[in-house]
Amino acid sequence: MSTYNSPLLLGAALSLIAAALHFSCIFWGADGFRFLGAGEPIVSMSAAGHWYPPVVAFAIGAVLTTWALYAFSGAGVIRPLPLLRAALIGITAIYLLRAVAFPLLKPAFPDNSPTFWFVTSAICLVFGLTHLLGLLQVWKRI
């Protein structure tokens, strides 16, 4: 039987998948951004070879990879990382806030479709609840 925290292991895997999807857009280009639901301005910039879309995709992928490392740390797979409890609280809060704050975010990204907002908010809710469950289970040891 594993002594690792299963919800945080799942949370780490989910964050890594999301990171890989963001990193793939760097190589996949405009079609990747379009497939993942980016608005037309981002797709057009990518098609034109603009620096902004791949840099943003890389930055988001790097953040998600860091979050996965913290989830692995909280799960007990790797050594405790600095500020582990605070980081896991922040990561969990950001996922959950992103899930419910989409009505406030939509005006800033008017080209994203309603489907994009529904799907990504649902994904963030699942990620956030997974992290929350894992965080609650390891609270006393981290």
Side-chain angles (χ1 to χ4, degrees), residues 45-131:
M45 281 193 280
S46 177
H50 197 278
W51 63 268
Y52 183 76
V55 168
V56 170
F58 179 83
I60 293 170
V63 167
L64 292 168
T65 299
T66 302
W67 289 4
L69 291 172
Y70 269 91
F72 279 131
S73 180
V77 174
I78 62 175
R79 67 174 180 76
L81 294 175
L83 303 170
L84 180 58
R85 182 184 288 201
L88 288 175
I89 291 169
I91 292 163
T92 302
I94 291 169
Y95 274 135
L96 292 174
L97 285 172
R98 169 54 185 83
V100 299
F102 72 91
L104 301 173
L105 296 171
K106 281 174 71 172
F109 303 95
D111 295 306
N112 291 346
S113 70
T115 301
F116 170 85
W117 289 109
F118 175 76
V119 170
T120 58
S121 295
I123 288 168
C124 287
L125 181 62
V126 169
F127 285 25
L129 291 174
T130 301
H131 279 78

Side-chain angles (χ1 to χ4, degrees), residues 4-32:
Y4 301 131
N5 180 274
S6 296
L8 285 176
L9 277 176
L10 177 59
L14 293 171
S15 292
L16 282 178
I17 291 167
L21 288 170
H22 282 84
F23 288 137
S24 75
C25 286
I26 297 167
F27 305 102
W28 198 2
D31 290 336

